[in-house]
Amino acid sequence: MAVKTHTFQAPKGTRDFYPQDLAVRKYIESVWRKTAISHGFDEIDGPTFEHLELYTTKSGPGIVSELFSFKRDKGATDYALRPEFTPTLARMYAAQAGSLPKPTKWFSIGPYFRAERPQRGRLREHIQLNVDIIGDDSPAAEAELITTAIELLTRLSFTSDQIQFKISHRDIPKFFFLGRGAQENQLEILFDLTDRYHKISKDELHNRGNDLGISNTLLDSIDEMILQCRTEDGTKTILDEARNSGFDPTNFGALLEHYLDSPGTRDWFCVDPSIVRGLAYYTGTVFEIHETTGKERAIAGGGRYDKLVELFDGPPTAACGFAMGDVVLRLVLEDHGLLKPSEQYLPSPDVFVINVRDEESQINFMPLVSSLRSAGLHVRHSYKSTRNVGKLLSEANKARAKFAVILGKELDEGKIVIKDLQGGSQEDVAEDTLLETLQARLANREGG
RNA sequence: GCGGCUGUAGCUCAGUUGGUUAGAGCACCUGGUUGUGGUCCAGGGGGUCGAGGGUUCGAAUCCCUUCAGCCGCCCCA
């Protein structure tokens, strides 16, 4: 028995979406979708599982322990539930690269999976938005991603006081460290230490660094870089130093000083060379979206990955994109009180039909409901046997209906009652004008 | 894979130093006999107190194990 009870629970790290939960999710997804479409992106999707090699090709065999992977019974092929979309995207683009326009702008919304233990902001299944621009190597592409993300966050009611984009370019820390005497083969370690600078103590940083053969001088330069980046002048100093060591600032400078230099967007981002992103495939600009208190995990992350399409047998193709998950986003929305009570995201019925006549008159009831539904209205009615109008109106109200339609004694004179459940007013209308009256009242509500 | 905290009704929680048939609010259902809601009144269903074992005359309460959840570590898309 004990075994059974857990068998019938949702698996660890997954969520059941009851109507109210799903309504909130649909709200977030609709903001994602509408914003992406209005910025000219076409929606795509791929399979929710892929060949395991798609992921090991890109990330190496170490990733397998973090995936849900499986074989068919007696089968030889390894599959994995998709942990991210980018490999699928690169594969899909590579397969039809010759016939796709430049740039190709795609987005997708769907579930992704990881096999790690769940914790705050990280579940085993989450919904993620991916927005990508393929075939444009100019900073205009990154700028378009960032302005799309800003618009999306604005539509969710966030302000630049609450959310910040931290933008960098991988060449900045690269040439900064090279200028401080690092070897090429030490860069990966230095990026890694930089990435986790905020999570570990200074002692730990030095211990780990020393174990990996990084000099204290270089480790101190990580510290210096991150501290400098807290001020605008300090950031300039770091940029200058990287430039003196070989960093070509043309594109990055154009992104910041030309493409993102409009009044609406300037407040949303800051340059932060300590952002390097863990993923190996990024080749240029990288950015993360954080809420400003630092309490939650990153809301989104992205960057430029110019080598990935050719890794999947496509032509050399520039590309960049970002991904945003629903779990952290929802937490941050809640932290800032930006979500309404969840039932308010459910669709509200146009009409709740109440029948208080005797049995014989019931025959008119369902045909009426059907005809209103045929006209496109969202119509509900009670399944209770009571004729108590008070109770039925209460039910109509709980169902969030806009209007109640009451079939009662007025029907003897061919009249039906329409009651506005928000304002409380009601009127008798002729039976044959019910639909048009309702439609007029509903249109009126939409407008007002 | 490792560590900390927590498991009493669908939800939020009470349950005195272990003591009779385990409680409240919300939610749900039914009534308040013939027509006006976001108030009220009365009733009802629903829990083997996460599960298993142990101590005891007696366990929701003490001990062990296990499962699950949350939070963190590892890892990070």
Side-chain angles (χ1 to χ4, degrees):
Chain A
M1 277 325 239
V3 177
K4 260 191 174 173
T5 54
H6 109 260
T7 303
F8 292 129
Q9 287 184 335
K12 186 196 295 292
T14 64
R15 293 168 289 175
D16 290 330
F17 288 91
Y18 289 93
Q20 296 188 1
D21 310 311
L22 189 63
V24 175
R25 171 173 140 192
K26 291 291 175 190
Y27 159 70
I28 290 171
E29 289 178 2
S30 81
V31 172
W32 283 352
R33 182 169 285 110
K34 285 176 187 164
T35 308
I37 288 172
S38 71
H39 286 251
F41 291 85
D42 289 315
E43 185 165 6
I44 60 164
D45 202 356
T48 49
F49 64 95
E50 291 271 11
H51 293 293
L52 180 62
E53 301 92 279
L54 187 73
Y55 303 114
T56 52
T57 297
K58 199 205 79 186
S59 307
I63 197 174
V64 175
S65 65
E66 295 158 16
L67 299 176
F68 280 107
S69 58
F70 56 96
K71 282 181 164 77
R72 289 189 62 208
D73 187 28
K74 300 193 179 83
T77 311
D78 287 299
Y79 300 99
L81 294 178
R82 61 182 180 185
E84 58 163 329
F85 188 61
T86 309
T88 300
L89 175 95
R91 177 177 68 68
M92 286 171 68
Y93 183 88
Q96 299 196 6
S99 62
L100 290 167
K102 288 194 180 177
T104 290
K105 295 168 61 179
W106 282 342
F107 79 99
S108 74
I109 294 170
Y112 296 85
F113 309 87
R114 55 165 72 95
E116 292 146 354
R117 279 190 81 145
Q119 50 195 295
R120 185 175 176 87
R122 296 190 82 189
L123 300 176
R124 287 184 162 185
E125 181 181 20
H126 67 129
I127 311 297
Q128 198 176 68
L129 165 73
N130 279 262
V131 179
D132 293 275
I133 299 177
I134 309 133
D136 185 346
D137 61 2
S138 82
E142 283 104 318
E144 199 166 358
L145 293 176
I146 288 166
T147 52
T148 301
I150 290 174
E151 171 67 17
L152 184 159
L153 293 166
T154 302
R155 290 189 192 187
L156 289 168
S157 311
F158 286 117
T159 67
S160 57
D161 295 332
Q162 299 165 328
I163 304 280
Q164 278 286 301
F165 288 58
K166 297 181 177 180
I167 304 178
S168 184
H169 190 292
R170 285 207 155 188
D171 284 352
I172 295 170
K174 174 182 165 185
F175 284 105
F176 174 82
F177 289 128
L178 290 176
R180 294 291 181 108
Q183 303 299 307
E184 286 272 353
N185 61 11
Q186 294 178 314
L187 285 172
E188 203 173 319
I189 298 166
L190 286 164
F191 285 173
D192 186 55
L193 291 170
T194 303
D195 192 38
R196 63 185 72 224
Y197 174 85
H198 296 286
K199 295 177 189 166
I200 61 180
S201 68
K202 208 172 271 190
D203 286 346
E204 204 176 343
L205 180 78
H206 277 263
N207 287 339
R208 289 203 197 196
N210 288 335
D211 289 347
L212 295 165
I214 308 293
S215 69
N216 282 325
T217 316
L218 270 173
L219 292 170
D220 287 337
S221 72
I222 295 177
D223 203 41
E224 186 186 333
M225 179 178 79
I226 288 170
L227 290 177
Q228 286 277 330
C229 289
R230 290 186 181 160
T231 67
E232 215 164 296
D233 287 346
T235 302
K236 283 208 176 74
T237 309
I238 300 297
L239 288 172
D240 286 342
E241 191 173 334
R243 189 157 37 207
N244 290 337
S245 308
F247 170 55
D248 175 0
T250 313
N251 281 350
F252 193 63
L255 174 65
L256 301 179
E257 285 147 35
H258 177 59
Y259 291 101
L260 292 181
D261 195 32
S262 62
T265 59
R266 199 184 294 125
D267 296 339
W268 284 87
F269 69 85
C270 57
V271 175
D272 186 346
S274 68
I275 299 296
V276 295
R277 306 284 296 149
L279 273 171
Y281 61 66
Y282 287 116
T283 56
T285 306
V286 286
F287 65 91
E288 290 181 358
I289 306 177
H290 289 262
E291 48 93 48
T292 46
T293 66
K295 180 183 156 201
E296 305 287 358
R297 294 163 183 283
I299 296 167
R304 182 166 279 287
Y305 49 94
D306 286 344
K307 296 284 187 279
L308 203 58
V309 173
E310 45 190 304
L311 187 62
F312 294 108
D313 295 332
T317 307
C320 58
F322 75 90
M324 178 181 294
D326 74 311
V327 179
V328 176
L329 180 63
R330 195 160 169 165
L331 289 172
V332 177
L333 283 165
E334 283 166 3
D335 291 344
H336 290 282
L338 296 177
L339 288 178
K340 297 182 282 187
S342 56
E343 66 271 12
Q344 290 186 28
Y345 292 98
L346 289 165
S348 78
D350 298 315
V351 181
F352 194 96
V353 182
I354 291 171
N355 181 34
V356 289
R357 305 206 88 208
D358 52 29
E359 280 300 319
E360 298 85 76
S361 315
Q362 295 269 16
I363 52 173
N364 297 322
F365 176 64
M366 282 315 293
L368 176 72
V369 167
S370 294
S371 70
L372 293 175
R373 283 174 172 161
S374 299
L377 298 186
H378 174 173
V379 183
R380 296 194 184 191
H381 61 84
S382 181
Y383 291 86
K384 297 186 206 299
S385 57
T386 180
R387 301 270 163 70
N388 184 324
V389 176
K391 279 209 175 12
L392 293 170
L393 280 170
S394 171
E395 190 182 346
N397 187 60
K398 258 181 223 157
R400 307 167 313 281
K402 300 185 182 89
F403 291 92
V405 162
I406 304 170
L407 306 183
K409 60 176 189 269
E410 298 83 354
L411 215 46
D412 295 340
E413 290 138 36
K415 301 276 194 171
I416 290 176
V417 180
I418 298 177
K419 184 178 176 85
D420 181 335
L421 287 169
Q422 198 172 38
S425 63
Q426 64 183 57
E427 59 187 317
D428 293 1
V429 300
E431 206 177 342
D432 55 2
T433 63
L434 175 66
L435 177 60
E436 57 187 276
T437 309
L438 276 173
Q439 284 172 329
R441 298 288 174 271
L442 286 164
N444 206 10
R445 277 182 62 120
E446 294 295 318

